[in-house]
Amino acid sequence: MFDKMLEAAKAQSQLAYTPYSNYKVSAAILMKNGEIVTGMNIENASFSLTICAERCALFNALSRGYKKEDMISILIYSPNNYSMPYPCGACRQVMVELLNKNTEVIVVNDLLKPEYYTVESLLPHSFDEGSL
Ligand code: THU
């Protein structure tokens, strides 16, 4: 399924709205039913209002009715050959909230080999629903 996810992410990255950074990112989430739900970064002149690709894809998935148990894997892609689009701290926290701790997270660009993580490995000792 990696190839299908990457293909979906590549298509979605063309819709990234990045007039300020020109750093395009997209994300593709694989569902148990085989569907792939995508998102991309959308920037704003008021910079902090920018939404990252991962959160866009996750919110898209939830808005379509998917739950964390439906989501098998999230692939994060940037169409460049110089840096990996590692998820920012805010996105790691949102992934902890909306995905299972052992859900696969794949990070990839156009040059380097894909890297495989889990939600938990990207944000250990997280503050989550179990903390309250
Ligand atoms: N960005 C993402 O969308 N996801 C990441 O994994 C890293 C950063 C975006 C936010 C902003 O639009 C641009 O990349 C540069 O920070």
Side-chain angles (χ1 to χ4, degrees):
M1 287 311 278
F2 173 84
D3 289 346
K4 262 190 88 175
M5 292 171 79
L6 185 58
E7 186 188 352
K10 283 188 174 176
Q12 191 67 37
S13 70
Q14 291 173 21
L15 298 180
Y17 177 75
T18 58
Y20 305 105
S21 73
N22 198 34
Y23 190 86
K24 296 184 185 303
V25 186
S26 59
I29 304 171
L30 176 65
M31 304 299 171
K32 277 188 184 147
N33 67 7
E35 198 189 341
I36 293 175
V37 174
T38 57
M40 74 294 185
N41 55 337
I42 303 171
E43 297 186 342
N44 194 286
S46 179
F47 293 163
S48 64
L49 298 183
T50 291
I51 185 161
C52 296
E54 302 88 317
R55 276 176 292 150
C56 182
L58 282 163
F59 297 165
N60 187 12
L62 263 74
S63 73
R64 288 165 188 243
Y66 285 111
K67 310 270 185 258
K68 65 171 71 174
E69 50 274 14
D70 301 315
M71 302 191 244
I72 297 172
S73 174
I74 179 169
L75 178 145
I76 308 164
Y77 166 73
S78 181
N80 77 71
N81 56 17
Y82 56 88
S83 77
M84 288 294 227
Y86 295 117
C88 76
C91 287
R92 292 177 196 217
Q93 180 70 25
V94 171
M95 288 194 286
V96 161
E97 182 73 32
L98 300 180
L99 295 171
N100 283 317
K101 294 272 166 66
N102 61 357
T103 297
E104 179 179 68
V105 182
I106 309 171
V107 184
V108 62
N109 69 4
D110 282 334
L111 180 71
L112 301 168
K113 280 205 304 194
E115 296 178 7
Y116 292 82
Y117 301 95
T118 62
V119 170
E120 165 99 72
S121 73
L122 290 171
L123 192 61
H125 310 293
S126 61
F127 187 84
D128 58 23
E129 79 275 359
S131 311
L132 298 172

